[in-house]
Amino acid sequence: MSYSLIDFAKTSKKSLLSLFEQSLSNKRNFTQSKFVSKMVGTAGLLFFEPSTRTRFSFQTACARQGVHPLVLDSYEGTSLEKGESIEDTILNLAAMKPLFFVIRCSDTVSLAEIVGTLKVPVINAGWGVKAHPTQALLDAVTLVENWGDLSGKKVLFVGDVLHSRVFGSHLELAKILGYEIAVCAPSEYRSNELSCTYFDDLDTAMDWAEAVIVLRVQNERHHQSGADQNRVNNYAEKYGMNTLRLKRLKQSGLLLHPGPINYGVELEKEVLKDSRSVVLQLVENGVFIREAIIQKILSGETI
Ligand code: CP
């Protein structure tokens, strides 16, 4: 039993549905002025890789739940600059007894091992290319909010699935919640080892999909896999989401992108005006689901 949220290996459908209900209830009952007024403790928000949405929404969620967020988001000015390891940094901060940690880090950090040595719960806020469970959860709760049950729903991922931790978390989540996943991506940005439906042609894929999750081309990770040597020519033409392509999506369909967006590469700005785009709804729901995760952890419930 773990109170940490690193992946969905031990997560049940029942606990997810309870989490979604909590998140949707947080949203229904939200007012700007009604926060938890009593400070219940501190949390360590440790971002060893860049972030805007995840970091800011965890800070907001903490504030709304009476948790004081202590943020470390730069090597500069910390002992990391002096050569202290991330592992040692986390161990030392754990000794200051935060209620929980929120950690974003690269693949080179042994996050799962660290979690095993700590008594403090850890929420994975994006771990290299491995997992980004809270992003997958905010996607899923947004689909639930729009559709209800996700069983049998068809979710298409377009683009750089090879370097996407969000995609990795959705592969796990889809097995629990019962939605179907397909991929449309150039060969450079996908692995053939995955057992899911592949589409070569985006128009055909759009006809199949009920939700489309467009992924960012993760240029910063390409040097690790050699993909930059095979940079995809005419990416926007073949795989970019534009208003013409979006016409193929069902009227009840939804368009998602986790952000940040490379406009003109994987997505034209114009498509965000379409009523099926829920890109900013995702950001809004990101706070409510993270609040719900914090509430579960503080009450000792597993996710
Ligand atoms: N989607 C997401 O994780 O965004 P940030 O990198 O800005 O946190």
Side-chain angles (χ1 to χ4, degrees), residues 167-188:
F167 178 68
S169 289
H170 270 286
L171 283 176
E172 285 188 293
L173 204 54
K175 284 190 195 136
I176 305 169
L177 294 173
Y179 52 92
E180 197 180 333
I181 283 182
V183 165
C184 181
S187 58
E188 291 88 341

Side-chain angles (χ1 to χ4, degrees), residues 157 159-164 167-168 171-172 175 181-183 185 189-198:
F157 285 80
D160 194 359
V161 293
L162 189 63
H163 305 96
S164 171
F167 178 68
L171 283 176
E172 285 188 293
K175 284 190 195 136
I181 283 182
V183 165
Y189 295 165
R190 71 188 205 199
S191 156
N192 291 327
E193 289 160 26
L194 294 173
S195 56
C196 70
T197 307
Y198 281 108

Side-chain angles (χ1 to χ4, degrees), residues 39-40 74 84 95 109 127 146 157 176 215 234 248 260 297:
M39 188 66 70
V40 294
S74 167
E84 183 168 61
V109 177
W127 182 16
N146 282 278
F157 285 80
I176 305 169
L215 295 173
N234 309 321
R248 302 187 83 102
I297 283 180

Side-chain angles (χ1 to χ4, degrees), residues 50-55 104 132 135 165 258-260:
S51 168
T52 297
R53 277 148 288 272
T54 312
R55 183 180 50 159
R104 171 168 289 195
H132 192 353
Q135 177 69 44
R165 52 195 174 201

Side-chain angles (χ1 to χ4, degrees), residues 47 49-57 104 125-126 132 134-135 138 165-166 216 257-260 283 290:
F47 283 77
E49 283 200 336
S51 168
T52 297
R53 277 148 288 272
T54 312
R55 183 180 50 159
F56 210 84
S57 70
R104 171 168 289 195
H132 192 353
T134 65
Q135 177 69 44
L138 73 87
R165 52 195 174 201
V166 180
R216 185 171 66 87
H257 188 305
V283 180
R290 287 170 176 131

Side-chain angles (χ1 to χ4, degrees), residues 287-300:
V287 179
F288 295 115
I289 196 87
R290 287 170 176 131
E291 266 191 86
I293 293 166
I294 291 169
Q295 287 167 302
K296 295 277 180 197
I297 283 180
L298 293 183
S299 62

